[in-house]
Each structure stands twice: as C-alpha cells, then as structure tokens.
Amino acid sequence: MHPMTLSHLQSAFAGESQAHMRYLVYAEKAEKDEMPQIGRLFQAIAWAEQIHASSHFVVMRDQFGAVQTVAGAGFGLGTTAENLAVAIEGEDFEVAEMYPVYQAAAEFQEERGALRSFDWAWKAEQTHAALFREAKAVAEAGGDLEIDQVNVCSRCGHTLVGDAPDRCPICNAKKETYRAF
C-alpha cells in the first residue's frame, strides 16, 4: 500500500473512531436534555461512524505496527444544539475537504479498497450532516425530533429516517442489512 493512502486511512480511522465516541457522549447529553429522539439519532450515526472506522481498518489489515495518527476532532460538551453544531462542523469538513482529497489520492495511487471505503464514507457523511442540521434547528427551538426510527446500513453507514430501502443507494446492500434504531 502506498504510504500516502495508508496515512489517509489511518487518519480517517482515527477521526471516525473519535466521532463514534463523541456521538455516544452527545446521545447521553441529549437524553438528559429531554431530547430522546435526537439522542437516538446520535446513537444511530455513532454506529455509522463505527462502520466507517471498521471499513478503513479492514483495508489496512495487512499493515502492522503502532503509528501516531492525526485527525480533526470536536471537543467540549455543551447543550444539545451546541453539540449538534460541533457534529455538523465535523461532517462538513469530511464531506467538503477530507474525503475528496483522500479519494483523489487513492484513485491516483490505484488503491481500490481505500477508494471504496473513502467513497462510501463520503456519501454517508452527506446524509449525516443533513440529519444533524434538521435536528439542530429543532433543538434550537427547544424541541425534539419527531421520528419513528432511524435506519443505518451495516455495510456502508448510509443513514436515513424512516423505513430502510430495498437496496442501499450507496453500496447496494439488501434491506435486511439495515439496522433500526
């Protein structure tokens, strides 16, 4: 594996792992703020971030040894609306800057596994940003989301409110691959 793509995978793994844990903390805070549906959204997207981190990790399965990773991360625990703002900032960075650069390098270096992992994460992160924006608007107005369920594709992390589609629009996985929250 080319060193540049490997470095990008390591950074993406670190960032997605941190997002996973941060969103679990934010889910607990939302529940304490009496916004259980926003908490459930955070839990679902936390699982999607775990899927992304796992995908990146599996692409690096033949790379052994400890390395220092660098990844952007939001810190602080505020109100649910403030936590959503931090989440949106992170998702927007991944969509607008991080994953497009990582995809370009992986494509140039013909690292097909990394390219697929980056592409699926990039597409899923777009849905995460949109869902967090909707939740933030509701939280700022002092309310909670009115949702029945959130579904996450266990193969690529695609996330949506409502019923799972027959096929994932990102990775083409079957409906049964989705996990409901």
Coordinates of all heavy atoms in Angstrom, one line a residue, residues 124-167:
A124 N -22.1 8.7 2.8 CA -22.9 8.6 4.1 C -22.8 9.8 4.9 O -23.8 10.3 5.5 CB -22.4 7.3 4.9
E125 N -21.6 10.4 5.0 CA -21.4 11.6 5.8 C -22.3 12.8 5.3 O -22.7 13.6 6.1 CB -19.9 12.1 5.8 CG -18.9 11.1 6.3 CD -19.1 10.7 7.7 OE1 -20.0 11.1 8.4 OE2 -18.3 9.9 8.2
Q126 N -22.6 12.8 4.0 CA -23.5 13.8 3.5 C -24.9 13.7 4.1 O -25.5 14.7 4.5 CB -23.6 13.7 2.0 CG -22.3 14.1 1.3 CD -22.3 13.8 -0.2 OE1 -23.2 14.2 -0.9 NE2 -21.3 13.1 -0.7
T127 N -25.4 12.5 4.3 CA -26.7 12.3 4.9 C -26.6 12.6 6.4 O -27.5 13.2 7.0 CB -27.2 10.8 4.8 OG1 -26.3 9.9 5.4 CG2 -27.3 10.4 3.3
H128 N -25.5 12.3 7.0 CA -25.3 12.7 8.5 C -25.4 14.2 8.7 O -26.1 14.6 9.6 CB -24.0 12.1 9.0 CG -23.8 10.7 8.9 ND1 -22.6 10.0 9.1 CD2 -24.7 9.7 8.6 CE1 -22.8 8.7 8.9 NE2 -24.1 8.5 8.6
A129 N -24.7 14.9 7.9 CA -24.7 16.4 8.0 C -26.1 16.9 7.9 O -26.6 17.8 8.6 CB -23.8 17.0 7.0
A130 N -26.9 16.4 6.9 CA -28.2 16.9 6.7 C -29.1 16.5 7.9 O -29.9 17.4 8.3 CB -28.8 16.3 5.4
L131 N -29.0 15.3 8.4 CA -29.8 14.9 9.5 C -29.5 15.8 10.8 O -30.4 16.2 11.5 CB -29.6 13.4 9.8 CG -30.2 12.5 8.8 CD1 -29.7 11.1 9.0 CD2 -31.8 12.6 8.8
F132 N -28.2 16.0 11.0 CA -27.8 16.9 12.1 C -28.3 18.3 12.0 O -28.7 18.9 13.0 CB -26.3 16.9 12.3 CG -25.7 15.6 12.9 CD1 -24.5 15.2 12.6 CD2 -26.5 14.9 13.9 CE1 -23.9 14.0 13.2 CE2 -25.9 13.8 14.5 CZ -24.7 13.3 14.2
R133 N -28.3 18.8 10.8 CA -28.8 20.2 10.5 C -30.3 20.3 10.9 O -30.8 21.2 11.6 CB -28.7 20.6 9.1 CG -27.3 21.1 8.8 CD -27.2 21.8 7.4 NE -25.9 22.3 7.2 CZ -24.8 21.5 6.9 NH1 -24.9 20.2 6.8 NH2 -23.6 22.1 6.8
E134 N -31.1 19.3 10.5 CA -32.5 19.2 10.8 C -32.7 19.2 12.4 O -33.5 19.9 12.9 CB -33.2 18.0 10.2 CG -34.6 17.9 10.5 CD -35.2 16.7 9.8 OE1 -34.7 16.1 8.9 OE2 -36.3 16.2 10.3
A135 N -31.9 18.3 13.0 CA -32.0 18.2 14.5 C -31.6 19.4 15.2 O -32.2 19.8 16.2 CB -31.1 17.0 14.9
K136 N -30.6 20.1 14.7 CA -30.1 21.4 15.3 C -31.2 22.4 15.3 O -31.4 23.1 16.3 CB -28.9 21.9 14.6 CG -28.3 23.1 15.3 CD -27.0 23.5 14.6 CE -26.4 24.8 15.2 NZ -26.9 26.0 14.5
A137 N -31.9 22.6 14.1 CA -33.0 23.6 14.0 C -34.1 23.3 15.1 O -34.6 24.2 15.7 CB -33.5 23.6 12.6
V138 N -34.4 22.0 15.2 CA -35.4 21.7 16.2 C -34.9 21.9 17.6 O -35.7 22.4 18.5 CB -35.9 20.2 16.0 CG1 -36.8 19.7 17.1 CG2 -36.5 20.0 14.6
A139 N -33.7 21.5 17.9 CA -33.1 21.7 19.3 C -33.0 23.2 19.6 O -33.3 23.6 20.8 CB -31.8 21.0 19.4
E140 N -32.7 24.0 18.7 CA -32.6 25.5 18.9 C -33.9 26.1 19.3 O -34.0 27.1 20.0 CB -31.9 26.2 17.7 CG -30.4 25.9 17.6 CD -29.8 26.5 16.4 OE1 -30.5 26.8 15.4 OE2 -28.6 26.8 16.4
A141 N -35.0 25.5 18.7 CA -36.3 25.9 19.0 C -36.9 25.3 20.3 O -38.0 25.5 20.7 CB -37.2 25.6 17.9
G142 N -36.0 24.5 21.0 CA -36.4 23.9 22.3 C -37.2 22.6 22.2 O -37.8 22.2 23.1
G143 N -37.2 22.0 21.0 CA -38.0 20.8 20.8 C -37.1 19.6 20.6 O -35.9 19.6 20.7
D144 N -37.7 18.5 20.2 CA -37.1 17.2 19.9 C -37.6 16.8 18.5 O -38.7 17.2 18.1 CB -37.4 16.2 21.0 CG -36.5 14.9 20.9 OD1 -35.6 15.0 20.1 OD2 -36.9 14.0 21.6
L145 N -36.8 16.0 17.9 CA -37.3 15.4 16.6 C -38.5 14.6 16.8 O -38.7 14.0 17.8 CB -36.2 14.6 16.0 CG -34.9 15.3 15.4 CD1 -33.9 14.2 15.0 CD2 -35.3 16.1 14.2
E146 N -39.3 14.5 15.8 CA -40.5 13.6 15.7 C -40.2 12.6 14.7 O -40.5 12.7 13.5 CB -41.8 14.4 15.5 CG -42.1 15.4 16.6 CD -43.4 16.1 16.3 OE1 -44.2 15.6 15.5 OE2 -43.6 17.2 16.9
I147 N -39.6 11.5 15.1 CA -39.2 10.4 14.2 C -39.6 9.1 14.8 O -39.6 8.9 16.0 CB -37.7 10.4 13.9 CG1 -36.8 10.4 15.2 CG2 -37.3 11.7 13.1 CD1 -35.3 10.3 15.0
D148 N -39.9 8.1 13.9 CA -40.2 6.8 14.3 C -39.0 5.9 14.5 O -38.8 5.3 15.5 CB -41.2 6.1 13.3 CG -42.6 6.8 13.4 OD1 -43.0 7.2 14.4 OD2 -43.2 6.8 12.3
Q149 N -38.2 5.9 13.4 CA -36.9 5.1 13.5 C -35.9 5.7 12.6 O -36.2 6.4 11.6 CB -37.2 3.6 13.2 CG -37.6 3.4 11.8 CD -37.9 1.9 11.5 OE1 -37.7 1.0 12.4 NE2 -38.3 1.5 10.3
V150 N -34.7 5.3 12.9 CA -33.5 5.7 12.1 C -32.9 4.4 11.7 O -32.7 3.5 12.5 CB -32.5 6.5 12.9 CG1 -31.3 6.9 12.0 CG2 -33.1 7.8 13.5
N151 N -32.6 4.2 10.4 CA -32.0 3.0 9.8 C -30.6 3.3 9.3 O -30.4 4.3 8.7 CB -32.9 2.5 8.7 CG -34.0 1.6 9.2 OD1 -33.7 0.4 9.6 ND2 -35.2 2.1 9.2
V152 N -29.7 2.4 9.6 CA -28.3 2.5 9.2 C -27.9 1.2 8.5 O -28.1 0.1 9.0 CB -27.4 2.7 10.4 CG1 -25.9 2.9 10.0 CG2 -27.8 4.0 11.2
C153 N -27.3 1.4 7.3 CA -26.8 0.3 6.5 C -25.5 -0.2 7.2 O -24.6 0.5 7.4 CB -26.5 0.7 5.1 SG -25.7 -0.7 4.1
S154 N -25.5 -1.5 7.6 CA -24.4 -2.0 8.3 C -23.2 -2.3 7.5 O -22.1 -2.7 8.0 CB -24.8 -3.3 9.1 OG -25.2 -4.3 8.2
R155 N -23.3 -2.1 6.2 CA -22.2 -2.3 5.3 C -21.4 -1.0 5.0 O -20.2 -1.0 4.9 CB -22.7 -2.9 4.0 CG -21.6 -3.3 3.0 CD -22.2 -4.1 1.9 NE -21.1 -4.4 0.9 CZ -21.4 -4.6 -0.4 NH1 -22.6 -4.4 -0.9 NH2 -20.4 -4.8 -1.2
C156 N -22.2 0.1 4.8 CA -21.5 1.4 4.4 C -21.8 2.6 5.3 O -21.2 3.6 5.2 CB -21.9 1.8 3.0 SG -23.6 2.3 2.8
G157 N -22.8 2.5 6.2 CA -23.2 3.5 7.1 C -24.2 4.5 6.6 O -24.5 5.5 7.2
H158 N -24.8 4.2 5.4 CA -25.9 5.1 4.9 C -27.0 5.2 6.0 O -27.3 4.2 6.6 CB -26.5 4.5 3.7 CG -27.7 5.2 3.2 ND1 -29.0 4.7 3.3 CD2 -27.9 6.5 2.7 CE1 -29.8 5.5 2.8 NE2 -29.2 6.6 2.4
T159 N -27.4 6.4 6.3 CA -28.4 6.6 7.4 C -29.6 7.4 6.9 O -29.4 8.3 6.1 CB -27.6 7.4 8.5 OG1 -26.4 6.7 8.9 CG2 -28.5 7.6 9.7
L160 N -30.7 7.0 7.3 CA -32.0 7.7 7.0 C -33.0 7.5 8.1 O -33.0 6.6 8.8 CB -32.5 7.2 5.6 CG -33.2 5.8 5.6 CD1 -34.3 5.8 4.5 CD2 -32.3 4.7 5.5
V161 N -33.9 8.5 8.1 CA -35.0 8.4 9.0 C -36.2 7.8 8.2 O -36.4 8.1 7.1 CB -35.5 9.9 9.5 CG1 -36.8 9.8 10.2 CG2 -34.4 10.5 10.3
G162 N -36.8 6.8 8.8 CA -37.9 6.1 8.2 C -37.5 4.6 7.8 O -36.4 4.1 8.3
D163 N -38.3 4.0 7.0 CA -38.0 2.7 6.6 C -36.8 2.5 5.7 O -36.5 3.4 4.9 CB -39.2 2.1 5.8 CG -40.5 2.0 6.7 OD1 -40.3 1.8 7.9 OD2 -41.6 2.1 6.1
A164 N -36.1 1.4 5.9 CA -34.9 1.1 5.0 C -35.4 0.8 3.6 O -36.5 0.2 3.4 CB -34.2 -0.1 5.6
P165 N -34.6 1.3 2.6 CA -35.0 1.0 1.2 C -34.7 -0.5 0.9 O -34.0 -1.2 1.6 CB -34.0 1.9 0.4 CG -32.8 2.1 1.3 CD -33.4 2.0 2.8
D166 N -35.2 -0.9 -0.2 CA -35.0 -2.3 -0.7 C -33.5 -2.6 -0.9 O -33.0 -3.6 -0.6 CB -35.8 -2.6 -1.9 CG -37.3 -2.7 -1.6 OD1 -37.7 -3.1 -0.5 OD2 -38.1 -2.5 -2.5
R167 N -32.8 -1.5 -1.4 CA -31.4 -1.6 -1.7 C -30.7 -0.3 -1.2 O -31.3 0.8 -1.4 CB -31.1 -1.8 -3.2 CG -31.4 -3.1 -3.8 CD -30.4 -4.1 -3.4 NE -30.6 -5.4 -4.0 CZ -29.8 -6.4 -3.9 NH1 -28.7 -6.3 -3.3 NH2 -30.1 -7.6 -4.5

